[in-house]
């Protein structure tokens, strides 16, 4: 009788290999590794190489982290250096530990 | 003057006179010049009770014989001086050195006149002296001596028999020894034990039926010499009523003495029997065990009739009484041995049964565990497809989906996830039950864990319109607690989830937490339907929902509480319930701080999805990427999808995935360079598994690539999950 599992779908929009982009990816990686041990799919999209993908999702700035699932969709713009803000943005503050699905 | 005197007298004499005449015999030897021999009954062993003195020499031979008279004070005494009569007497004596001496010196001549005269005078003087009435009672000293002698010998015999009984439990040895000793004491020709065959006294297995009445036969005997015929195992074909009469008679505890069988005219079953074995006199004492005649102790005199004396009868009865005790003891001992043997056999049999049952149980349990693990895996793989592909369909960007279609797909997806959870539960429970599960201990905040647990059920509580209360009373310095936080959260989830499910709208569910001397206590109270008292004990059993009717209204396989109990048990904790039907239930969990517990055995739970497998997917085609992401996340993996190959190497370095999946279809050369770069890693770094996706026609290129496994496009979702599972499960396996 485990709690219902939630699968997170996240999108991180970056523009090439800029320091900001790398920092954003590193921060997100830390969060995902240390605070969030659940199931997620992170899609890293380079807006310079795939502008049509950025356009579809109406991305105006990089780096941008978008939580697609579970709803509602949330976007966090910036290098993600504020961990708390990222966690709240992802609705993870309490749930990050609740979804470490077992099997 | 030559005359022959045959017998000087044959008359009753007082004991004292008899003794004094014996003294005259001794006195006479002083007048003898020739070699002589003088012996009395004290020195020569002879059958019977006769007392005598016999003197043999060239000049004078005399014999004094005396038989005690019924009054006990007088002897019927004979004084014989006739050589032939003396010679006849000597022949009756059993051979022994003293008798040999007498026989050597005896002669056929009459006594010398001078000596005979002197002897006669002395005898006469003696008799005359005794004619004067002696004052006071007559004391017959030799009689007393003889009686004492008799008594002593008898006591010695009884003592021998009883000590034999004490020392040995071997009944045959006791009986044989007793028979031999008693025969020697009684100086009888044959002494036997006649044993009745009786179901009560023999082996229960040998019980004969009604048509075969009890009989008897001689089981032990002692013979005076080899000339006496043996009657061992002699079996007489008695008629049943005779035997019965016999036994009835002996059961009255009577000793039967027959001085002369020829004069024994009573109709008795033993009479014919005695005649056939040449018995002239017999003395019979019954052996009575548990008020039944077990057998008879029988003395036979074959040489002639014999007067059985009182003390002999008493002795035989005394010996038979001691044998009764020995036989009874032996019977008890045999019963004890039989019971012991039976018990030992039963113990051995039970042990055998237990061992085989235990073996079967172990085999069955192992088979069950393997079956559950295999089935869970087999079920999970196709289910992953259902979940993953329905998730992909839900986000289908091409073509319109009607609201109905969408809700159906959502239903497929949700049901799939529900089913997957159930399978995971079963697998987890199977691990816990087989004792393979181990605790993943960590330090955590009780307050924070409580909040997280409440958060998990908040939505459901709202849906059920149940009010959630929380009451945490934990001192800040006790907030940090060591346990398996994931399992504890599962336990709390089960309790809270159940409480909400079984509480009607506008009811209340309360979670209380407090610390009691290194033990965390969690209490979930509801105002629900409650649990009947008789069902509370079954509550924590596997697959047991209390009311079958609930199966329709409340989902779940009945695993929840059983699993919660397993997890609490793993912590060496305690879970209990108290409930009042219609009022509500209180579940209490006590969990000891695991820091105090000794290190539990480290047993790793091997399950492909326990790997926190992080996968980087390099794929340009969004549709393919979405499907793969959905499949892999449904299977429990973390997926990072990156479109652009140029940044992939840097990202891989940063994200440290376990597997990188590369689509080789486009820009083959670039990707080969990337593979090359990915392989260039510090020696101590964890190796990265590379899974390459290739189209069939590009096999040649793929063959040159340094990768761990291949996938052909288009990707078969089920095969993808299978491949990743295998890659991460068996790190050394070549796929």
């Amino acid at each position: 009788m485990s709690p219902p599992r939630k699968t997170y779908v996240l999108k991180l929009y970056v523009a090439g290999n800029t320091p900001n982009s790398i920092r954003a990816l590193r921060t997100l990686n830390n969060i995902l590794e240390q605070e969030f041990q659940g199931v997620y799919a992170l899609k890293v999209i380079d807006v310079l190489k795939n502008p049509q993908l950025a356009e579809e999702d109406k991305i105006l700035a990089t780096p941008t982290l978008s939580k697609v699932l579970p709803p509602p969709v949330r976007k966090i713009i910036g290098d993600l250096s504020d961990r708390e803000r990222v966690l709240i943005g992802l609705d993870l503050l309490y749930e990050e530990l609740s979804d470490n699905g077992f099997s | 003057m030559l005359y022959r005197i045959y017998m000087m007298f044959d008359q009753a004499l007082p004991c004292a006179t008899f003794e004094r005449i014996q003294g005259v015999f001794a006195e006479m030897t002083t007048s003898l010049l020739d070699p002589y021999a003088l012996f009395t009954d004290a020195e020569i062993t002879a059958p019977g009770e006769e007392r005598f003195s016999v003197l043999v020499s060239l000049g004078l031979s005399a014999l004094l014989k005396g038989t005690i008279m019924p009054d006990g004070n007088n002897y019927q005494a004979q004084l014989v001086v006739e050589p032939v009569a003396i010679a006849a007497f000597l022949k009756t004596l059993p051979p022994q050195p003293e008798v040999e001496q007498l026989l050597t010196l005896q002669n056929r001549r009459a006594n010398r006149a001078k000596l005979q005269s002197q002897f006669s005078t002395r005898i006469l003087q003696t008799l005359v002296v005794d004619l004067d009435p002696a004052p006071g009672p007559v004391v017959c000293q030799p009689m007393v001596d003889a009686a004492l002698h008799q008594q002593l010998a008898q006591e010695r015999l009884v003592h021998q028999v009883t000590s034999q009984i004490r020392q040995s439990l071997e009944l045959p040895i006791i009986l044989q020894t007793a028979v031999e000793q008693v025969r020697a004491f009684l100086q009888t020709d044959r002494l036997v034990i006649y044993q009745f065959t009786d179901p009560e006294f023999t082996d229960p297995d040998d019980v004969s039926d009604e048509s075969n009445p009890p009989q008897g036969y001689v089981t032990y005997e002692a013979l005076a010499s080899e000339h006496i015929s043996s009657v061992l195992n002699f079996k007489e074909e008695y008629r049943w009523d005779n035997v019965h009469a016999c036994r009835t008679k002996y059961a009255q505890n009577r000793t039967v003495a027959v001085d002369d069988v020829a004069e024994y005219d009573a109709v008795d079953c033993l009479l014919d029997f005695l005649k056939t074995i040449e018995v002239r006199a017999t003395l019979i004492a019954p052996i009575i065990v548990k008020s039944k005649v077990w057998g008879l102790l029988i003395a036979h005199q074959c040489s002639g009739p014999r007067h059985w004396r009182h003390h002999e009868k008493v002795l035989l009865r005394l010996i038979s009484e001691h044998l009764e005790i020995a036989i009874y003891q032996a019977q008890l001992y045999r019963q004890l041995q039989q019971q012991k043997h039976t018990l030992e056999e039963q113990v051995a049999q039970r042990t055998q049964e237990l061992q085989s049952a235990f073996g079967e149980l172990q085999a069955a349990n192992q088979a069950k565990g393997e079956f559950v693990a295999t089935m869970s895996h087999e079920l999970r793989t196709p289910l992953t497809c259902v979940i993953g592909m329905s998730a992909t369909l839900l986000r289908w960007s091409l073509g319109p989906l009607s609201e109905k279609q969408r809700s159906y797909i959502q239903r497929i997806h949700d049901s799939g996830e529900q089913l997957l959870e159930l399978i995971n539960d079963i697998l987890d429970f199977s691990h816990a039950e087989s004792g393979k599960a181990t605790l993943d201990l960590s330090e955590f905040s009780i307050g924070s864990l409580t909040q997280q647990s409440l958060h998990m059920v908040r939505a459901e509580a709202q849906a059920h319109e149940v009010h959630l209360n929380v009451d945490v009373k934990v001192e800040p310095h006790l907030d940090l607690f060591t346990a398996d936080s994931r399992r504890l959260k599962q336990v709390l989830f089960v309790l809270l989830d159940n409480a909400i499910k079984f509480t009607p709208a506008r009811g209340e569910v309360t979670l209380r937490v407090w610390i009691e001397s290194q033990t965390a206590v969690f209490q979930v109270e509801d105002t629900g339907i409650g649990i009947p008292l008789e069902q509370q004990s079954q509550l924590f059993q596997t697959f047991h929902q209390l009311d079958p009717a609930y199966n329709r209204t409340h989902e779940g396989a009945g695993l929840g509480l059983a699993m919660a109990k397993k997890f609490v048990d793993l912590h060496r904790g305690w879970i209990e319930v108290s409930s009042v039907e219609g009022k509500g239930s209180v579940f209490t969990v006590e969990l000891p701080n695991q820091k105090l517990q000794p290190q539990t055995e480290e047993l790793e739970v091997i399950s492909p999805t326990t790997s926190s497998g992080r996968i980087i997917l390099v794929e340009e085609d969004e549709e393919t990427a979405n499907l793969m992401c959905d499949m892999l996340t449904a299977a429990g993996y973390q997926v990072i999808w990156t479109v652009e190959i140029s940044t992939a190497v840097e990202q891989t370095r940063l994200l440290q995935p376990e597997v990188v999946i590369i689509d080789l279809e486009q820009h083959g050369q670039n990707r080969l360079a990337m593979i090359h770069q990915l392989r260039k890693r510090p020696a101590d770094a964890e190796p990265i598994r590379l899974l390459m996706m290739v189209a069939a026609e590009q096999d040649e290129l793929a063959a040159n690539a340094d990768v761990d496994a291949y996938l052909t496009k288009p990707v078969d979702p089920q095969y993808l999950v299978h491949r990743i599972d295998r890659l991460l499960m068996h790190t050394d396996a070549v796929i």
Side-chain angles (χ1 to χ4, degrees):
Chain A
M1 294 302 282
S2 53
R5 284 152 38 114
K6 282 180 189 161
T7 303
Y8 283 73
V9 176
L10 309 173
K11 285 185 180 177
L12 181 66
Y13 297 89
V14 293
N17 267 338
T18 61
N20 266 359
S21 303
I22 289 170
R23 199 179 305 125
L25 189 59
R26 182 178 288 140
T27 311
L28 183 60
N29 181 47
N30 283 342
I31 291 170
L32 291 176
E33 213 163 51
Q34 290 161 20
E35 326 251 344
F36 180 95
Q37 291 161 4
V39 180
Y40 61 85
L42 170 66
K43 310 190 177 183
V44 185
I45 296 155
D46 190 337
V47 295
L48 301 180
K49 298 286 172 65
N50 305 87
Q52 80 286 355
L53 290 178
E55 222 163 280
E56 277 170 24
D57 291 326
K58 301 180 180 65
I59 299 303
L60 305 170
T62 58
T64 293
L65 175 65
S66 168
K67 184 192 76 165
V68 183
L69 279 176
V73 174
R74 287 186 198 274
K75 286 178 186 164
I76 303 150
I77 301 166
D79 63 3
L80 308 178
S81 53
D82 187 348
R83 273 187 66 248
E84 287 285 295
R85 198 163 64 90
V86 175
L87 290 174
I88 291 167
L90 293 177
D91 291 331
L92 283 180
L93 200 55
Y94 288 127
E95 291 179 39
E96 85 265 40
L97 284 169
S98 72
D99 261 356
N100 46 358
F102 69 94
S103 48
Chain B
M1 186 179 64
L2 193 78
Y3 61 93
R4 294 175 80 94
I5 299 171
Y6 298 97
M7 189 176 290
M8 288 177 72
F9 61 76
D10 182 358
Q11 65 179 76
L13 285 183
C15 298
T17 312
F18 186 86
E19 200 185 345
R20 265 199 290 279
I21 294 174
Q22 284 188 310
V24 172
F25 272 62
E27 208 178 283
M28 283 303 294
T29 59
T30 56
S31 309
L32 295 176
L33 301 171
D34 308 312
Y36 70 91
L38 170 62
F39 293 107
T40 68
D41 55 279
E43 291 135 333
I44 290 177
T45 316
E49 290 302 311
E50 208 172 40
R51 300 202 58 190
F52 60 87
S53 283
V54 59
L55 173 67
V56 179
S57 75
L58 200 61
L60 180 69
S61 293
L63 167 67
L64 176 70
K65 291 198 286 180
T67 314
I68 188 76
M69 292 178 73
D71 64 4
N73 293 326
N74 292 294
Y75 285 111
Q76 182 64 42
Q78 293 176 337
L79 185 59
V80 181
V81 290
E82 208 279 313
V84 178
I86 294 171
F89 170 77
L90 292 180
K91 276 183 191 159
T92 66
L93 296 176
Q96 48 201 302
E98 292 81 3
V99 176
E100 285 299 314
Q101 210 180 329
L102 288 166
L103 290 171
T104 314
L105 291 173
Q106 70 167 334
N107 56 78
R108 298 281 169 166
R109 292 175 54 183
N111 291 338
R112 279 192 201 129
K114 188 184 169 194
L115 287 170
Q116 177 63 48
S117 160
Q118 189 186 339
F119 181 59
S120 301
T121 311
R122 286 295 300 123
I123 295 292
L124 201 58
Q125 281 172 347
T126 308
L127 292 174
V128 169
V129 167
D130 281 325
L131 287 179
D132 295 335
V138 180
V139 179
C140 193
Q141 191 57 38
M143 279 292 291
V144 174
D145 282 350
L148 277 176
H149 182 73
Q150 198 82 57
Q151 191 71 28
L152 266 173
Q154 187 169 324
E155 272 174 20
R156 209 161 36 237
L157 175 70
V158 172
H159 177 72
Q160 279 172 345
V161 173
T162 49
S163 53
Q164 181 81 36
I165 289 169
R166 269 198 300 273
Q167 281 163 16
S168 174
L169 279 168
E170 290 296 321
L171 193 59
I173 295 171
I174 293 170
L175 295 179
Q176 187 59 46
T177 316
V179 162
E180 279 163 12
Q181 284 173 342
V182 173
R183 195 215 62 77
F185 184 83
L186 291 180
Q187 287 292 315
T188 185
D189 291 328
R190 186 193 290 127
L191 204 119
V192 301
I193 288 176
Y194 184 89
Q195 185 179 345
F196 291 102
T197 51
D198 196 315
E200 197 179 324
F201 295 127
T202 51
D203 215 314
D205 299 336
D206 296 342
V207 173
S208 43
D209 50 71
E210 289 292 320
S211 63
N212 190 7
Q215 293 183 345
Y217 57 96
V218 174
T219 46
Y220 300 92
E221 79 172 352
L223 303 174
S225 73
E226 55 197 19
H227 304 301
I228 308 293
S229 61
S230 169
V231 292
L232 203 58
N233 295 321
F234 196 98
K235 201 181 257 180
E236 186 63 15
E237 298 297 324
Y238 294 131
R239 277 176 37 231
W240 156 244
D241 49 350
N242 280 352
V243 175
H244 186 73
C246 251
R247 296 186 70 179
T248 311
K249 188 177 79 182
Y250 289 117
Q252 290 159 3
N253 206 355
R254 273 169 45 193
T255 304
V256 176
V258 182
D259 289 352
D260 190 345
V261 170
E263 293 167 10
Y264 190 54
D265 58 347
V267 178
D268 191 275
C269 57
L270 279 175
L271 210 55
D272 296 337
F273 171 53
L274 298 175
K275 277 174 185 163
T276 56
I277 53 175
E278 298 165 1
V279 175
R280 299 294 304 278
T282 181
L283 183 61
I284 305 169
I287 300 171
I288 298 167
V289 177
K290 284 196 278 184
S291 8
K292 282 213 163 190
V293 180
W294 177 87
L296 304 171
L297 186 62
I298 307 171
H300 288 159
Q301 193 69 38
C302 298
S303 57
R306 171 168 174 172
H307 172 65
W308 299 103
R309 301 181 61 194
H310 179 67
H311 78 91
E312 289 172 335
K313 296 173 193 170
V314 171
L315 173 83
L316 203 66
R317 179 68 200 122
L318 195 62
I319 295 295
S320 80
E321 276 170 5
H322 282 294
L323 293 183
E324 284 162 10
I325 294 167
I327 291 161
Y328 189 55
Q329 269 185 357
Q331 281 176 357
L332 287 180
Y333 183 69
R334 197 178 60 197
Q335 281 175 4
L336 201 68
Q337 289 294 103
Q338 273 173 355
Q339 283 169 357
K340 188 179 144 215
H341 185 68
T342 314
L343 273 177
E344 276 169 357
E345 270 184 350
Q346 280 177 347
V347 167
Q349 195 187 340
R350 292 281 156 81
T351 310
Q352 184 78 35
E353 285 170 5
L354 275 177
Q355 271 173 346
S356 63
F358 184 65
E360 281 168 21
L361 199 68
Q362 273 187 323
N365 211 31
Q366 194 177 347
K368 189 194 83 178
E370 281 167 10
F371 173 77
V372 168
T374 311
M375 280 313 290
S376 301
H377 186 74
E378 293 296 316
L379 290 171
R380 204 154 43 176
T381 311
L383 202 52
T384 306
C385 262
V386 172
I387 297 165
M389 294 182 85
S390 56
T392 308
L393 265 184
L394 279 173
R395 289 193 298 281
W396 197 254
S397 50
L398 310 169
L401 269 180
S402 74
E403 204 44 49
K404 207 163 199 176
Q405 283 169 330
R406 181 169 292 279
S407 93
Y408 284 173
I409 294 168
Q410 186 71 51
R411 191 73 181 268
I412 291 169
H413 181 263
D414 293 351
S415 299
E417 287 208 317
Q418 209 178 329
L419 194 54
L420 189 61
E421 275 165 35
L422 193 59
I423 290 166
N424 286 337
D425 282 352
I426 291 169
L427 192 64
D428 209 26
F429 181 78
S430 157
H431 273 297
E433 193 167 54
S434 65
K436 280 183 189 161
T438 180
L439 294 176
D440 182 13
L441 297 180
S442 62
E443 202 174 45
F444 57 88
S445 153
I446 288 187
S448 158
L449 182 128
T450 309
Q451 289 301 330
Q452 289 162 19
S453 302
L454 286 170
H455 189 80
M456 291 190 287
V457 294
R458 198 154 272 152
E460 201 185 348
Q462 278 169 2
H464 279 78
E465 294 178 56
V466 171
H467 186 67
L468 268 180
N469 297 316
V470 63
D471 177 15
V472 181
K473 281 179 185 153
V474 178
E475 298 289 316
H477 69 279
L478 291 172
D479 187 54
L480 279 181
F481 195 77
T482 304
D484 187 329
S485 61
R486 184 173 67 87
R487 293 229 159 91
L488 177 55
K489 261 189 288 183
Q490 277 176 258
V491 171
L492 292 180
F493 176 79
V494 166
L495 296 183
L496 289 168
D497 191 55
N498 276 347
I500 293 165
K501 262 186 209 161
F502 293 102
T503 299
R506 287 177 298 284
E508 286 197 5
V509 169
T510 309
L511 172 62
R512 292 189 198 88
V513 186
W514 68 93
I515 301 275
E516 267 177 18
S517 63
Q518 292 295 336
T519 298
V521 185
F522 301 86
Q523 201 171 63
V524 177
E525 183 175 354
D526 64 52
T527 57
I529 56 173
I531 303 152
L533 191 64
E534 65 271 16
Q535 294 185 356
Q536 290 179 12
S537 61
Q538 306 168 0
L539 208 53
F540 299 107
Q541 286 174 11
T542 315
F543 301 113
H544 193 97
Q545 281 204 337
L546 293 183
D547 186 346
Y550 292 155
N551 284 327
R552 292 185 287 274
T553 49
H554 306 283
E555 62 181 41
L559 271 177
L561 285 173
M563 196 152 67
K565 179 164 166 49
K566 292 279 175 207
F567 290 162
V568 172
D569 286 349
L570 270 178
H571 282 89
R572 295 181 176 83
W574 181 255
I575 185 167
E576 65 180 5
V577 63
S578 65
S579 180
V580 177
E581 218 174 337
K583 291 271 177 76
S585 310
V586 180
F587 284 84
T588 308
V589 172
E590 288 174 23
L591 217 59
N593 196 339
Q594 301 298 304
K595 261 185 181 166
L596 300 172
Q597 301 294 322
Q599 195 68 37
T600 51
E601 287 172 68
E602 285 194 19
L603 285 166
E604 198 165 348
V605 180
I606 297 165
S607 169
T609 46
T610 50
S611 162
S612 62
R614 178 180 278 190
I615 298 164
I616 288 187
L617 170 66
V618 186
E619 171 60 59
E620 280 184 4
D621 178 45
E622 194 184 3
E623 199 183 307
T624 307
N626 276 338
L627 175 61
M628 288 176 76
C629 282
D630 287 336
M631 287 303 303
L632 291 171
T633 52
Y637 293 107
Q638 323 284 26
V639 192
I640 296 158
W641 167 47
T642 182
V643 184
E644 185 44 51
I645 186 146
S646 56
T647 54
V649 173
E650 177 66 15
Q651 285 170 3
T652 301
R653 195 182 59 76
L654 197 68
L655 299 170
Q656 295 294 328
E658 286 188 76
V659 179
V660 177
I661 304 172
I662 304 161
D663 187 352
L664 212 68
E665 204 174 333
Q666 294 130 344
H667 307 106
Q669 285 306 320
N670 276 352
R671 282 161 203 242
L672 283 179
M674 180 190 169
I675 288 164
H676 190 65
Q677 275 189 293
L678 284 171
R679 284 296 184 196
K680 277 199 284 181
R681 292 170 55 79
D684 58 339
E686 285 288 310
I688 294 178
R689 309 276 147 193
L690 294 180
L691 185 65
M692 194 187 302
M693 291 193 292
V694 291
E697 63 267 25
Q698 285 175 307
D699 275 356
E700 195 189 334
L701 180 60
N704 295 324
D706 177 20
V707 296
D708 294 289
Y710 295 97
L711 278 174
T712 49
K713 286 186 75 172
V715 173
D716 171 31
Q718 204 162 324
Y719 187 66
L720 168 72
V721 172
H722 174 72
R723 256 291 136 88
I724 299 285
D725 280 352
R726 295 270 307 267
L727 261 185
L728 291 178
M729 254 173 84
H730 310 288
T731 48
D732 298 325
V734 177
I735 299 174

